[in-house]
Amino acid sequence: MKLGYYPGCSLKGGSREYKESVVAVCRKFDIHLVEVPDWNCCGATAAHNMNKELSLALPARILAQAESAGLDEIVVPCAACYNRLKVTQHEMAHQPELAEKVKAILGMEYKGSTSILNIIQLIEKYILPNLDDHYYRPFNYKAACYYGCLLVRPHSILQFDRAEDPQTMDEAIRKIGGTPVDWEFKVECCGAGMSVSRTDLVAKLTGKVVENALYRKAEVIIVACPMCHSNLDMRRPDVNKYLGVETTIPVLYITQAIGLAVGIDEKTLGLQRHFVPVHLPERNEIVDMPAELVTTQGKEE
Amino acid sequence: MARIGVFICHCGENISATVDCAKVANTIAKINGVAYSTDYKYMCSDPGQTLIKDAIREKHLTGVVVAACSPRMHEPTFRKAVAEAGLNSFLCEMANLREHVSWVHEKAESTTQKAIDIVRTLVEKVKKNQPLDPIKVPVTKRAVVIGGGVAGIQAALDIANCGHEVVMIEREPSIGGHMSQLSETFPTLDCSQCILTPRMVEVAQHPNITLYTYAEVIGLEGFIGNFKVKVRKKSKSLDEDLCTGCGLCTTKCPVKKIPSEFEQGLGFRPAIYVPFPQAVPNKPVIDRINCTYYTKGKCRVCEKVCPTKAIRFDQEDEIVDIEAGALVLATGFNILKTNFFPEYGYGKYKDVIDGLQFERLASASGPTLGEIRRPSDGKVPEKIVFVACAGSRDPAKGIEYCSKICCMYTAKHAMLYKHKVHNGEAYVFYMDIRAGGKNYEEFVRRAIAEDDAKYVRGRVSTIYERDGKLIVKGADTLLNGRPVEIEADMVVLATAGIANHGAEELAQTLHVSYDAYKFFAEAHPKLKPVETNTAGIFLAGACQAPKDIPESVAAASGAAVKVAALFSNDELTRDPLVAVVNRFGPPLFSTCVGCFMCQPVCPYQAIEKEEIKDRAGNVFKVLAKVNPGLCQGCGTCVALCRSKSIDIYGYTNQQVYQEVVALLNE
Amino acid sequence: MSSVQHQVQKKGSLMEEILDSREISVQKCYQCGKCSAGCPVAEDMDYPPSVIMRMVQTEDKAMEEAALRSMTIWLCVTCETCAARCPMEIDIPGVMDYLRQRSYEKGMANPKANHIISFHKAFLDSIDYTGRLYELGLIVDYKMRSFQLQQDVDLAPGMIARGKLGFFPELIKGRKNMTDIFRKTLHKKGGLK
Ligand code: SF4
Ligand code: SF4
């Protein structure tokens, strides 16, 4: 199966392991990712902090590029890019005057017809239904699924999952044999765009997230956003300083967790690239496993 | 030859500010058949009416046009005046120069011209008006009250005490409604049950009141004075005549853990149950969904233990038709449940409760016998946060209105808590304190000043659990929006009052209009607050909008008076503006071909079949006939009739034609 | 906050501009404070979001200026928590966006926000030149602009070791197109309203 793909800058740079795990998992499930040709940066927080039209024109160019390449459905693994693309598509569709302005700036044809998937939607739609075919071992850990802001808000536009307490990532973790913990900070903000310019703020916000995950006895934090990842992982020394304890809870991309469950090796998934080392205990026995997975497991062995 | 009188009203300055009334009068005076035309400041006033009456007598008028405000406002006034002067009241028509002209246009030549045109058409119409006689229909002097909460009880007792029969229909196994669940009532703190129970008993014992509990209205036919109400009496699986209400069955039933509706899920009840000890009637019903016999085919313990052998497992629902002259809707309201709030945990925290649940906790007869204990672990909470406006005044949640009762009951809750737990702390997050009502503001002030309820002005953003505490994140907008975080043991959400479940279906069954929130709509927000748009159906209490007890009771008495007034006549008169299928006889000829296309389109089922017989008594054709008692004069059938055999009195084809011609002839 | 000598302007208030250009009605805010209660950075702001809303509502010149000079607008991380919970469905982050843009254009940005602005500018310049984000370049550029030379130096070796920091920018083909877009938006003379 072919699927359009917008990696975005983070996946090409600081979040290489996310790209690696996305690509590896998709390959395993016979999803052929076709990159949007000559794509540009979506502008991220910077653009819409500084200039409205710019913040729309950059994502619109990406969508226009996808359209011209005939990609009707694209997956956008980076939550920030996903958010910018979706919001742009929505605003262009609902504010015709603004749309005209942006199209003029763009100087390209733009229809706005591309269907945009985030990584969790891709997993829900194309991975989980075929999970049985590749299931290798349970991802048998207590996981705090961290959605953050950009995947779920604004709810009125993204219409993704239920507000305040989303469940789809938890559901995916459950399907691969994990136990999602019920925790309070799954949609709190990590500080995202302040990562470089206000590290102190990020340490505080991210610190609260890590603390709550640990309080709820999570063994691993699962994310679907490069910004969340870098704040939770790369910024961990600052976080630890804020919390006053040495926390070691690893932070995995959802695709890395799935990758492990379907038997992709750690290196391919880029686990070695994390700052907080990923030492998940070997645990192949089935504890707290949902019944339907117990049978799957039996079949595999 | 027609002699029409035309009376142009200034409506103070409402009309004359933009319409040149004198010019209208002068222009109209020149029309053929107009015998008199004048203008006056207030036509509806006494001198104004006298002006009309005198003109009728002196000028021997054959028809009258009053050009003034909306006929909805003053048509009855002027028709009565015309009748007093000896003219048939239906020879009077109104032209609406206020809503249709002066209020919607600027002052201009063309505005005056529009007024002239409208009056002109009415003059032509009235020339073709026929004298009509009001329709008389008999009145069944029995009222049906739907709903047995405090409003229904009040309405039923008031009507019954006027000497009229009342049938009360209650959906639950007992009457009493929400008021029976409350602990103490603001602003006097008297015990809710203590003041309500005697009235419940009075309903049961009143010779004029028949009580159907566990029953629902499923159909309505007829019209004011002559309704037929179809009721399903759900099977209670019980012979009520034999049952003595000893309660043995309820103690022996092996199914014990069904969350009690009455206790708002904070207590349990068996499958055969009486909702609460003071229930009226105090006889059990079997909840068939949870009864082991109905679900698994075995058990029948209640049957075995019943000393009077009153259990009837094979009892079926019973459908009864009740003839009634009027209905009072008193079906009450409901509140949002805590699971409506994503940001407050979707209902997953046991110690986040709603206001009704708090009432049960505070009630001496409740699951904790009046001690404030939190549901999760039964601990007495040391700190409670009350959240006002939970869901109310919140367009994002689809509820724009103020639920009205929460400010007061939240103050009461804080007060009750402080009275019961002396060293407890009560925080109230609020946006505004709406305490308009006798002794209400004083009550709230007492809660704050004397009982030390800490009021914080701001909405709560989120609530989550931590170490057995609930972390409440709010803000103090009176301190520059400073974030406030409180670790509470329990949170009480004053959730929005909403229309009761089933309200929409009932409204549709009864042809009563309802608003966007599914509350029943009154006929006029100020002047007809207890009437509905369907004549003969009245409203009482919170089924119309959230209301507190005094308001509900007042509305109920208001509705009762309307019913009593209706029942003070043996006959009702109605405007004869109904459809007729033409007949030229004898023998009965008609242009009606009997196609009966009109029958299915009539929204009121007013079209009947009439068999036309020859001298020998054999049917030789079947024609349509309109039942004038049912017809509401909507005119749908007129538009549909291919052979143009139907006309509406007061708006005949000919009259309308004349109006159109008048407009075209300018 | 000094006493408000309401100098209400009949035309051209921020509130009006926001309504006209962004279709956001600040007037609808009834000061419930729910936004401030849930905002993760409210404690660090000089005025929590609800207060900013109120300042804009006054249509008072001094208040508007204070809002434009506030640190709040630069600290807002656009997490959308406030908008998700605002009972009046006001796009509060959209208001913040607008105020930021105006503040920058008018040269009224809070001096303490310089780092943040430098970062945004460095970020956008990187895209302007190459089409994609060039992280190493961005960091160097940001450090030059903000004089935060020491910050995060300890991170760089780790990133390089983990293959997270590319040494060469990726250049896209449509760079002219990108420059055009920037010329018509951010670099437009006089800024955009
Ligand atoms: S949440 Fe909305 S209505 Fe409430 S203060 Fe903030 S902006 Fe105003
Ligand atoms: S979007 Fe900005 S103002 Fe709103 S809650 Fe997040 S940081 Fe605060």
Side-chain angles (χ1 to χ4, degrees):
Chain A
M1 189 201 100
K2 258 195 195 168
L3 183 65
Y5 169 49
Y6 174 72
C9 309
S10 301
L11 271 74
K12 288 281 177 165
S15 311
R16 281 179 69 167
E17 69 272 32
Y18 190 19
K19 184 193 71 182
E20 287 162 355
S21 61
V22 168
V23 170
V25 168
C26 284
R27 191 176 305 132
K28 186 98 184 173
F29 286 82
D30 286 328
I31 301 165
H32 177 55
L33 296 175
V34 184
E35 246 181 65
V36 173
D38 203 41
W39 55 266
N40 54 280
C41 170
C42 72
T45 323
H48 86 103
N49 266 343
M50 303 299 283
N51 187 290
K52 172 89 175 173
E53 282 81 3
L54 180 63
S55 76
L56 294 173
L58 294 174
R61 182 179 180 275
I62 300 165
L63 292 173
Q65 288 286 85
E67 280 169 21
S68 67
L71 302 169
D72 328 322
E73 190 173 47
I74 59 172
V75 59
V76 184
C78 169
C81 302
Y82 164 74
N83 188 290
R84 289 312 313 156
L85 293 187
K86 276 293 258 196
V87 169
T88 299
Q89 196 177 54
H90 177 91
E91 292 201 353
M92 300 270 285
H94 289 82
Q95 297 181 36
E97 244 175 70
L98 190 64
E100 283 316 310
K101 229 171 167 181
V102 173
K103 281 186 211 166
I105 294 169
L106 205 56
M108 292 171 78
E109 208 187 319
Y110 168 92
K111 290 201 289 286
S113 53
T114 318
S115 127
I116 306 167
L117 295 182
N118 63 37
I119 195 70
I120 307 177
Q121 288 166 326
L122 168 111
I123 291 168
E124 217 186 1
K125 199 166 166 187
Y126 298 119
I127 307 272
L128 294 182
N130 304 319
L131 188 62
D132 282 1
D133 304 341
H134 303 284
Y135 198 61
Y136 173 72
R137 69 182 161 109
F139 182 78
N140 196 2
Y141 306 101
K142 288 212 184 98
C145 295
Y146 180 53
Y147 298 75
C149 315
L150 299 163
L151 274 180
V152 290
R153 285 188 294 263
H155 188 255
S156 52
I157 297 178
L158 304 182
Q159 293 291 327
F160 171 64
D161 212 326
R162 62 176 197 170
E164 303 280 351
D165 186 15
Q167 291 294 331
T168 37
M169 219 194 308
D170 296 62
E171 201 39 51
I173 287 295
R174 212 170 277 130
K175 287 260 165 65
I176 58 171
T179 311
V181 300
D182 192 6
W183 63 311
E184 285 71 35
F185 278 63
K186 52 162 66 161
V187 295
E188 289 293 310
C189 179
C190 67
M194 299 280 167
S195 187
V196 179
S197 47
R198 281 295 300 267
T199 324
D200 56 327
L201 262 185
V202 169
K204 179 158 104 182
L205 299 184
T206 305
K208 290 182 183 174
V209 173
V210 171
E211 198 274 344
N212 192 258
L214 290 172
Y215 173 73
R216 290 294 174 195
K217 307 242 160 25
E219 297 168 287
V220 51
I221 299 176
I222 306 289
V223 299
C225 168
M227 305 234 246
C228 299
H229 192 272
S230 76
N231 282 344
L232 284 160
D233 183 62
M234 193 171 78
R235 293 280 170 208
R236 186 65 65 84
D238 298 302
V239 166
N240 287 346
K241 212 180 296 158
Y242 168 79
L243 290 176
V245 277
E246 272 310 299
T247 62
T248 55
I249 182 169
V251 187
L252 261 60
Y253 286 103
I254 176 80
T255 38
Q256 291 177 319
I258 292 176
L260 290 175
V262 297
I264 303 174
D265 68 284
E266 297 190 357
K267 188 126 190 280
T268 313
L269 294 170
L271 291 189
Q272 75 288 359
R273 296 190 195 277
H274 291 192
F275 281 77
V276 179
V278 185
H279 293 309
L280 289 169
E282 268 304 306
R283 207 185 276 159
N284 273 321
E285 78 276 23
I286 300 153
V287 195
D288 288 346
M289 280 271 289
E292 69 268 20
L293 286 174
V294 178
T295 42
T296 317
Q297 180 70 11
K299 206 168 60 195
E300 282 278 314
E301 280 173 5
Chain B
M1 177 61 192
R3 295 182 59 78
I4 311 297
V6 181
F7 302 87
I8 317 289
C9 179
H10 296 197
C11 195
E13 287 195 339
N14 269 305
I15 295 172
S16 61
T18 52
V19 172
D20 183 346
C21 294
K23 185 175 175 196
V24 178
N26 290 335
T27 314
I28 296 297
K30 297 187 193 112
I31 297 178
N32 229 340
V34 173
Y36 185 68
S37 176
T38 188
D39 60 315
Y40 186 67
K41 202 164 181 78
Y42 288 111
M43 235 17 125
C44 59
S45 67
D46 218 31
Q49 293 189 36
T50 311
L51 184 76
I52 299 174
K53 287 189 225 173
D54 288 349
I56 293 173
R57 294 194 194 99
E58 284 160 21
K59 312 280 176 193
H60 308 289
L61 301 181
T62 60
V64 166
V65 174
V66 184
C69 54
S70 161
R72 276 188 83 112
M73 187 78 197
H74 273 314
E75 195 178 72
T77 317
F78 293 119
R79 287 203 161 154
K80 191 158 152 270
V82 165
E84 279 164 11
L87 205 60
N88 182 287
S89 61
F90 292 93
L91 297 175
C92 168
E93 293 283 354
M94 278 188 81
N96 186 351
L97 296 192
R98 200 177 66 180
E99 281 83 343
H100 288 179
V101 184
S102 65
W103 276 0
V104 290
H105 298 298
E106 306 280 303
K107 182 183 176 102
E109 266 306 294
S110 50
T111 304
T112 300
Q113 189 53 47
K114 181 174 173 187
I116 293 170
D117 287 343
I118 291 179
V119 179
R120 221 152 40 81
T121 60
L122 266 300
V123 168
E124 294 310 322
K125 180 187 181 195
V126 100
K127 285 180 184 169
K128 296 288 173 194
N129 275 23
Q130 298 291 326
L132 299 171
D133 292 319
I135 299 171
K136 286 195 182 341
V137 281
V139 176
T140 310
K141 296 187 182 180
R142 180 184 301 115
V144 165
V145 174
I146 309 177
V150 65
I153 290 173
Q154 183 70 34
L157 289 174
D158 284 351
I159 298 167
N161 287 338
C162 290
H164 303 298
E165 274 182 54
V166 176
V167 180
M168 176 182 276
I169 296 161
E170 167 60 54
R171 175 160 73 178
E172 300 299 323
S174 168
I175 60 171
H178 283 311
M179 188 175 165
S180 64
Q181 294 174 292
L182 307 184
S183 52
E184 285 159 18
T185 54
F186 59 79
T188 43
L189 291 191
D190 36 9
C191 151
S192 186
Q193 288 243 347
C194 314
I195 53 178
L196 182 67
T197 317
R199 319 216 80 194
M200 290 162 64
V201 175
E202 206 180 325
V203 166
Q205 293 176 347
H206 203 293
N208 286 346
I209 301 180
T210 310
L211 179 57
Y212 293 159
T213 51
Y214 221 44
E216 273 170 347
V217 172
I218 54 169
L220 180 74
E221 284 173 22
F223 50 94
I224 180 168
N226 298 276
F227 290 113
K228 197 145 93 194
V229 187
K230 201 179 268 310
V231 175
R232 166 181 287 122
K233 292 173 71 185
K234 285 186 281 180
S235 163
K236 299 179 174 177
S237 309
L238 184 82
D239 185 327
E240 285 181 90
D241 294 334
L242 291 180
C243 173
T244 59
C246 73
L248 197 57
C249 52
T250 63
T251 61
K252 297 288 186 221
C253 174
V255 189
K256 293 211 164 11
K257 288 272 169 190
I258 302 162
S260 156
E261 296 82 358
F262 184 78
E263 300 293 2
Q264 293 292 304
L266 295 178
F268 298 107
R269 64 160 172 85
I272 181 163
Y273 72 107
V274 180
F276 53 104
Q278 301 80 358
V280 170
N282 206 328
K283 293 181 180 176
V285 299
I286 296 184
D287 156 13
R288 294 189 173 185
I289 304 208
N290 289 300
C291 162
T292 322
Y293 175 68
Y294 287 107
T295 53
K296 306 218 173 77
K298 273 210 277 287
C299 183
R300 302 183 86 127
V301 168
C302 46
E303 189 181 45
K304 270 169 234 139
V305 299
C306 177
T308 60
K309 299 282 164 260
I311 306 291
R312 294 284 177 277
F313 282 109
D314 53 1
Q315 194 177 56
E316 281 175 7
D317 290 1
E318 194 187 333
I319 309 287
V320 285
D321 284 324
I322 304 166
E323 309 224 315
L327 272 74
V328 177
L329 288 182
T331 51
F333 73 117
N334 219 321
I335 58 165
L336 286 176
K337 297 286 166 216
T338 52
N339 62 11
F340 183 79
F341 301 89
E343 71 274 42
Y344 305 152
Y346 277 114
K348 75 176 167 193
Y349 305 124
K350 278 192 177 159
D351 296 327
V352 176
I353 61 172
D354 61 47
L356 260 184
Q357 290 176 315
F358 188 85
E359 293 287 345
R360 292 316 298 148
L361 290 182
S363 165
S365 65
T368 56
L369 302 177
E371 279 184 56
I372 308 292
R373 293 183 173 282
R374 62 182 204 173
S376 65
D377 55 8
K379 256 183 33 197
V380 176
E382 285 161 22
K383 206 182 271 181
I384 300 187
V385 168
F386 296 91
V387 180
C389 287
S392 308
R393 306 171 65 194
D394 194 335
K397 292 202 171 6
I399 299 175
E400 287 187 41
Y401 57 85
C402 162
S403 293
K404 201 169 185 191
I405 54 176
C406 333
C407 281
M408 289 308 295
Y409 81 62
T410 297
K412 178 191 75 178
H413 286 174
M415 208 184 241
L416 289 179
Y417 168 62
K418 294 287 287 189
H419 290 178
K420 285 170 191 258
V421 183
H422 296 296
N423 51 2
E425 282 178 71
Y427 284 88
V428 178
F429 280 95
Y430 73 102
M431 291 212 295
D432 299 287
I433 302 176
R434 298 188 167 171
K438 197 167 171 174
N439 290 322
Y440 282 15
E441 173 66 12
E442 297 91 313
F443 181 82
V444 176
R445 287 298 137 200
R446 226 164 67 217
I448 297 172
E450 287 172 30
D451 293 309
D452 194 27
K454 295 199 166 54
Y455 272 61
V456 184
R457 194 199 170 281
R459 259 183 196 257
V460 170
S461 174
T462 186
I463 298 172
Y464 62 88
E465 197 237 81
R466 175 95 186 192
D467 295 333
K469 300 264 185 201
L470 293 160
I471 314 296
V472 181
K473 290 181 74 174
D476 192 333
T477 56
L478 301 182
L479 285 177
N480 265 335
R482 189 180 69 176
V484 176
E485 207 170 287
I486 296 177
E487 286 188 13
D489 299 297
M490 191 160 102
V491 175
V492 183
L493 304 179
T495 57
I498 51 169
N500 217 336
H501 63 100
E504 190 176 17
E505 294 82 347
L506 183 65
Q508 285 168 357
T509 307
L510 304 181
H511 295 297
V512 165
S513 20
Y514 51 96
D515 65 20
Y517 302 104
K518 315 215 173 10
F519 284 114
F520 301 144
E522 59 284 326
H524 188 282
K526 288 153 212 161
L527 300 177
K528 290 183 172 179
V530 298
E531 289 94 326
T532 65
N533 268 333
T534 308
I537 303 186
F538 303 97
L539 298 177
C543 59
Q544 179 185 10
K547 284 191 167 71
D548 61 16
I549 297 170
E551 262 188 298
S552 297
V553 170
S557 288
V561 168
K562 294 287 168 189
V563 173
L566 178 64
F567 290 177
S568 65
N569 300 303
D570 296 327
E571 278 184 333
L572 263 174
T573 53
R574 291 184 56 216
D575 274 358
L577 305 179
V578 294
V580 272
V581 184
N582 63 24
R583 293 286 191 274
F584 315 97
L588 283 164
F589 287 116
S590 169
T591 55
C592 170
V593 295
C595 70
F596 288 100
M597 294 268 281
C598 49
Q599 207 172 29
V601 299
C602 174
Y604 307 97
Q605 286 90 44
I607 297 183
E608 298 167 354
K609 292 188 174 171
E610 187 183 28
E611 295 181 342
I612 308 296
K613 295 180 180 143
D614 60 16
R615 277 168 207 276
N618 301 319
V619 177
F620 74 93
K621 61 178 171 183
V622 182
L623 299 181
K625 183 177 181 239
V626 177
N627 177 336
L630 294 174
C631 174
Q632 298 295 315
C634 74
T636 312
C637 57
V638 179
L640 216 97
C641 178
R642 299 270 181 90
S643 61
K644 308 228 179 312
S645 309
I646 317 182
D647 238 342
I648 291 200
Y649 283 141
Y651 298 91
T652 59
N653 286 330
Q654 204 192 10
Q655 285 174 306
V656 177
Y657 180 72
Q658 289 297 339
E659 288 189 60
V660 175
V661 168
L663 274 182
L664 294 177
N665 274 353
E666 184 48 272
Chain C
M1 217 181 296
S2 59
S3 86
V4 183
Q5 260 265 343
H6 278 275
Q7 297 193 338
V8 176
Q9 347 171 18
K10 282 276 161 303
K11 277 262 154 335
S13 68
L14 278 178
M15 185 156 71
E16 215 179 77
E17 285 175 26
I18 295 172
L19 184 63
D20 289 348
S21 70
R22 302 282 161 99
E23 296 178 18
I24 305 171
S25 164
V26 175
Q27 196 64 281
K28 284 203 302 196
C29 169
Y30 54 17
Q31 286 295 304
C32 71
K34 200 172 183 179
C35 48
S36 299
C39 174
V41 282
E43 305 165 16
D44 300 273
M45 292 170 161
D46 37 5
Y47 311 105
S50 62
V51 178
I52 291 284
M53 299 297 278
R54 181 66 197 143
M55 291 161 95
V56 173
Q57 271 183 345
T58 61
E59 298 191 293
D60 172 83
K61 270 226 156 8
M63 283 292 117
E64 291 190 341
E65 189 170 328
L68 290 173
R69 292 194 187 279
S70 74
M71 196 52 202
T72 297
I73 54 180
W74 299 102
L75 285 181
C76 165
V77 285
T78 324
C79 69
E80 300 266 350
T81 308
C82 51
R85 294 180 186 154
C86 171
M88 299 309 286
E89 299 174 282
I90 303 170
D91 179 2
I92 305 150
V95 174
M96 298 288 180
D97 275 352
Y98 186 83
L99 295 178
R100 253 190 310 260
Q101 191 172 327
R102 289 301 274 163
S103 167
Y104 175 66
E105 287 165 3
K106 291 187 169 186
M108 289 167 81
N110 192 307
K112 278 189 264 162
N114 279 345
H115 300 173
I116 299 172
I117 297 170
S118 304
F119 178 75
H120 292 326
K121 282 207 284 198
F123 187 105
L124 292 177
D125 282 351
S126 162
I127 311 174
D128 187 359
Y129 303 142
T130 64
R132 291 183 191 166
L133 180 62
Y134 170 41
E135 285 168 328
L136 188 60
L138 161 66
I139 290 172
V140 172
D141 187 8
Y142 165 64
K143 286 181 188 300
M144 301 306 291
R145 289 178 197 243
S146 64
F147 301 108
Q148 298 286 304
L149 298 179
Q150 284 312 305
Q151 189 202 320
D152 287 343
V153 279
D154 42 337
L155 273 178
M159 289 187 74
I160 295 165
R162 288 168 177 78
K164 286 184 172 232
L165 215 49
F167 285 100
F168 303 102
E170 291 195 22
L171 301 177
I172 72 165
K173 289 195 227 90
R175 287 203 299 286
K176 167 147 184 338
N177 189 204
M178 294 296 286
T179 318
D180 264 3
I181 292 175
F182 274 83
R183 197 172 39 77
K184 290 186 204 155
T185 53
L186 191 66
H187 302 150
K188 190 169 164 187
K189 258 238 156 102
L192 279 165
K193 296 253 159 98

